Amino acid sequence: MIVRISGEDQYRLDDSAAARLNELENAVAAIVDGGSEDGFSDAYAALLDFVRSQGQTVGDEEIESSDVILPPSDLTFAEAGREFTGEGLIPD
Amino acid sequence: MAGLTGRMSTVVKAKVSKLLDRAEDPAETLDYSYQKQVEQLQNVKKGIADVVTAKKRLQMQEATLKQSVVKLDTQARQALSSGNEELARTALERKNVAQTELQGLDTQVSELEEQQQKLTDSEQKLRAKIEAFRTKKEVIKAQYSAAEAQVRISEAATGVGEQMADVGLAMQRAVDKTENMKARADAVSELEAAGTFDDITALGSGEDDIDRQLKSLSSQSAVDDDLSKMKAELGQGAPAAAGEIAAPSGASSGGDGAGAGDGQPAEGGQ
């Protein structure tokens, strides 16, 4: 599975990492749903760190599309909320 | 995957496929896609240039403000040693405003530095992908049947398209951050235009409009601290004031120490 961290790199992760990735993402989602910013940046950093530490960087000369694209590391709490409500980071 | 990742992935894929739908014949898709990639690379270069320009503007303002801080400090000292405490205070108020603006600019310059680095990295990645795409496109054209080529082109173009979308997002974020910074740069320009950091000795004895505005902008406790420090250095302070200056750490951020020192300059001034 290939995961992109927007603004950084693409990482190749073992398929077995998907479960943990899901857990970490759900943790972020729960915080965003809760509406309180407490713990958001730590939880999001944990998700990205997991990808960076478990994945192998896809070389610049390799052309692959990602299975999952994660928003950039400087994602704010407000932006995360917009991602969920469908406004999104990327304008049409 | 839902939520964050799902949304982002869906949007990027939709953007990329919209791009690819434009052309039907494989060779055309290749060329169209490549042309778009090269355009995007030019855009990134322009984006980097914009960030650099914004950064330079802030750096120039920083240099001017730094000079003003030194000049106003010197002038405050001169005013104080010639017994004009009022003028010294005015100079220190202006210095205080300049220092506050300087700190803000410093943070923003580092942020722009970071954006510039990010965009430069993105540009290099995109350039490498485009180069790989260019090579691949020639191989595809030479070796594959039309049907097979269509699949391979779609794969390659999608991969590069994703990189392009990613660079696009990085640029948009850089532009947003640069826009936000313009407000402070403009504020500093306005202060400069109003003569805030001009030669203090050109002032008359009376308090002008700028002074009244600056008083509200500058931190009076910091100005009081500066003034009593300066008095002590010039040997004008009362003995009690010297004692306070020996332990300035408490007064620097909290307002408590400064309040206690308020009476000192007025009483021990001459």
Side-chain angles (χ1 to χ4, degrees), chain A residues 22-78:
Chain A
N22 250 324
E23 273 174 33
L24 288 165
E25 197 205 347
N26 288 339
V28 177
I31 293 171
V32 174
D33 278 343
S36 162
E37 199 169 339
D38 284 349
F40 168 75
S41 44
D42 285 346
Y44 194 56
L47 172 63
L48 298 185
D49 283 343
F50 176 76
V51 174
R52 292 189 197 107
S53 62
Q54 298 298 308
Q56 278 192 317
T57 315
V58 174
D60 283 347
E61 70 292 344
E62 286 182 74
I63 303 176
E64 300 280 0
S65 36
S66 309
D67 300 294
V68 172
I69 299 175
L70 294 170
S73 59
D74 62 354
L75 182 79
T76 64
F77 181 70

Side-chain angles (χ1 to χ4, degrees), chain A residues 4 6-10 25 59-63 65-66 68-70 74 79 83-84 86-87 90-91, chain B residues 1-5 7-9 12-13 15 118 125 128-129 132-133 156 159 162-163 166 169 172-173 177:
Chain A
R4 176 187 288 277
S6 184
E8 291 178 34
D9 268 311
Q10 283 177 298
E25 197 205 347
D60 283 347
E61 70 292 344
E62 286 182 74
I63 303 176
S65 36
S66 309
V68 172
I69 299 175
L70 294 170
D74 62 354
E79 285 172 332
E83 275 298 292
F84 279 104
E87 252 181 87
I90 300 178
Chain B
M1 225 176 254
L4 278 179
T5 56
R7 162 79 194 162
M8 191 98 181
S9 310
V12 169
K13 282 189 170 69
K15 274 182 90 74
K118 273 188 184 168
K125 276 196 189 15
K129 295 271 188 225
F133 182 85
E162 188 186 305
Q163 192 75 37
D166 198 52
L169 178 63
Q172 187 204 325
R173 290 174 86 73
K177 289 204 164 117

